Amino acid sequence: MAGFNISRTEEDLFRELTAVLRELKDPRIDPLLTIVRVELSRDLSNCKIYVSSLSGQEKAEQSAKGLRSAEGYIKREVFRKLKMRKVPALHFIADDSIAHSARINEMLHHVQPSVEEEPKEEEQE
């Protein structure tokens, strides 16, 4: 039962963090920044927030630094809405999973012919 409560809290944190990130005006934070994943520890004392940017890994790392400096504001805004008993420490981590998945997708398109081309070949026979 505890696992269900933690995963539900992670989803709530994800939703509220996304809303707060849209409001931040720090120039270090990329407007194309996306929260990839939120991991909450079992005792609710630590929260890892993985962020990724469509602008690249360097921009994601710079944005993570900006988010770390705004941690107090983010905590206040998020946990005012969630009303949690224990406020976890937020750890922002730059993640390159979006760029990595885009590279994999590009490689798959080069290996596999497109689906649209296959039916045309069958119709000609």
Side-chain angles (χ1 to χ4, degrees):
M1 194 61 142
F4 174 74
N5 289 336
I6 289 175
S7 66
R8 189 174 66 197
T9 305
E10 285 175 347
E11 290 175 13
D12 292 341
L13 278 169
F14 184 89
R15 184 182 64 248
E16 295 300 329
L17 283 166
T18 303
V20 170
L21 285 183
R22 285 190 213 124
E23 299 170 1
L24 292 176
K25 305 231 184 316
D26 191 338
R28 292 177 288 183
I29 299 172
D30 186 27
L32 299 174
L33 191 71
T34 307
I35 297 176
V36 177
R37 179 172 77 234
V38 175
E39 290 181 0
L40 194 59
S41 65
R42 294 184 131 212
D43 62 351
L44 304 177
S45 62
N46 291 306
C47 181
K48 292 181 183 177
I49 300 138
Y50 294 91
V51 294
S52 184
S53 175
L54 293 174
S55 302
Q57 180 66 16
E58 293 176 13
K59 199 71 167 157
E61 290 171 4
Q62 184 182 16
S63 296
K65 286 180 185 177
L67 290 171
R68 286 184 205 111
S69 69
E71 181 180 352
Y73 172 78
I74 295 169
K75 271 185 177 181
R76 185 178 70 230
E77 292 298 312
V78 169
F79 297 108
R80 181 175 53 101
K81 295 176 185 177
L82 290 181
K83 297 184 179 17
M84 291 176 63
R85 183 177 296 224
K86 189 173 188 178
V87 178
L90 302 178
H91 305 283
F92 294 97
I93 302 165
D95 190 25
D96 68 341
S97 62
I98 291 177
H100 184 67
S101 63
R103 275 185 263 133
I104 291 174
N105 191 21
E106 184 179 323
M107 288 190 293
L108 288 174
H109 281 296
H110 289 296
V111 172
Q112 178 184 9
S114 66
V115 178
E116 296 172 359
E117 293 176 6
E118 291 176 10
K120 290 179 184 177
E121 292 175 3
E122 292 174 2
E123 291 173 3
Q124 292 175 357
E125 291 177 4

